[in-house]
């Protein structure tokens, strides 16, 4: 049987996307025929015209306690220290795309590392120095980091964001079957992801019968 292919739209600055990522990664380990392709969605598509206020940002991160209280999700820490706030979403997506150009395993590791760095470690994942440090920590080829500046990668990020909007994704995380244009928005419970994959598998089996 063919794999169960899912498309997930996500932003690295979205706490609910972190929970969805942790759960979908668990699903991959439970059901090896499931494949998840992560695509970009930009909650903050461009830097603000004026610097963001760090104290206001710290207050905002108190809201992370809510996704942090959910089962089967990521770990969150209300923002501490003087780093940040992040300026916008694009830099993290570009580095993830540069890692994908190295290979699928490099992407998966960078994808998870960006989320942990931001939500667990309170690191500014829009800062180039932080992104380079994460890249080096993962042992990715040093020369490949420069790929983040490739205009082709920026076009890919923007195209994926536009695609999500066309499919009706008004927020993230948003999930759809690869052969469907219907998106489901929100960080779903683990059991819902399991049922979703099972239904897609059963539908494929019926179509092959």
């Amino acid at each position: 049987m063919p794999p169960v292919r899912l498309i997930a739209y996500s932003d690295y600055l979205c706490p609910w996307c972190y929970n969805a990522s942790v759960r979908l990664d668990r699903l991959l380990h439970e059901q090896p025929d499931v494949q998840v392709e992560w695509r970009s969605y930009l909650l903050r598509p461009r830097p603000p015209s004026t610097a963001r206020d760090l104290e206001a940002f710290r207050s905002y991160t108190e809201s992370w306690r809510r996704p942090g209280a959910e089962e089967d999700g990521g770990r969150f820490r209300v923002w501490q220290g003087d780093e940040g706030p992040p300026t916008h979403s694009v830099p993290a997506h570009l580095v993830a795309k540069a890692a994908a150009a190295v290979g699928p395993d490099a992407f998966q590791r960078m994808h998870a590392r960006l989320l942990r760095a931001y939500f667990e470690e309170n690191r500014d994942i829009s800062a180039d120095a932080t992104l380079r440090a994460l890249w080096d920590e993962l042992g990715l080829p040093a020369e490949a980091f420069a790929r983040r500046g490739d205009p082709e990668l920026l076009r890919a990020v923007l195209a994926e964001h536009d695609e999500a909007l066309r499919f009706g994704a008004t927020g993230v995380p948003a999930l759809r079957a690869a052969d469907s244009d219907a998106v489901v928005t929100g960080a779903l419970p683990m059991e819902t992801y399991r049922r979703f994959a099972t239904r897609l598998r059963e539908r494929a089996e019926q179509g092959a019968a």
Side-chain angles (χ1 to χ4, degrees):
M1 290 299 297
V4 176
R5 295 185 57 239
L6 305 175
I7 307 296
Y9 300 97
S10 177
D11 188 272
Y12 292 106
L13 303 183
C14 168
W16 300 103
C17 292
Y18 188 17
N19 280 355
S21 180
V22 169
R23 292 167 188 161
L24 287 170
D25 185 63
R26 185 173 295 118
L27 183 69
L28 296 180
H29 287 86
E30 292 179 359
Q31 303 183 26
D33 65 330
V34 174
Q35 297 177 355
V36 177
E37 179 182 343
W38 291 95
R39 296 187 183 176
S40 301
Y41 188 100
L42 304 175
L43 291 175
R44 287 187 171 271
R46 59 187 62 84
S49 57
T50 58
R52 299 177 66 191
D53 182 76
L54 180 57
E55 290 307 316
F57 177 69
R58 283 199 185 99
S59 296
Y60 151 73
T61 65
E62 291 284 346
S63 67
W64 293 357
R65 297 184 188 278
R66 183 180 171 198
E70 289 196 349
E71 295 182 0
D72 298 318
R75 293 185 296 176
F76 295 82
R77 182 174 70 169
V78 173
W79 202 266
Q80 301 175 20
D82 296 325
E83 193 171 344
T87 56
H88 61 311
S89 301
V90 173
H93 284 284
L94 290 176
V95 166
K97 286 282 187 287
V102 175
D105 178 69
F107 170 79
Q108 291 295 339
R109 291 190 293 135
M110 178 57 74
H111 174 81
R113 190 67 188 93
L114 286 165
L115 291 165
R116 291 199 314 273
Y118 184 50
F119 293 109
E120 295 185 28
E121 300 168 7
N122 298 163
R123 298 170 73 178
D124 179 2
I125 59 171
S126 68
D128 205 55
T130 299
L131 295 171
R132 183 60 196 247
L134 297 177
W135 186 276
D136 292 343
E137 176 191 315
L138 294 176
L140 300 181
E143 67 280 3
F145 183 70
R147 183 76 193 276
R148 75 200 185 286
D150 187 341
E152 178 184 341
L153 294 192
L154 178 58
R155 285 193 291 270
V157 167
L158 297 177
E160 290 174 2
H161 176 79
D162 290 343
E163 175 188 90
L165 296 179
R166 287 198 307 273
F167 283 132
T170 57
V172 281
L175 187 72
R176 66 179 177 89
D179 61 353
S180 172
D181 59 3
V183 296
V184 179
T185 304
L188 306 176
M190 187 67 214
E191 189 54 38
T192 303
Y193 286 127
R194 293 186 181 113
R195 290 198 301 268
F196 187 48
T198 297
R199 285 198 300 269
L200 294 177
R201 187 178 300 108
E202 292 171 346
R203 187 179 71 185
E205 291 172 350
Q206 291 169 0

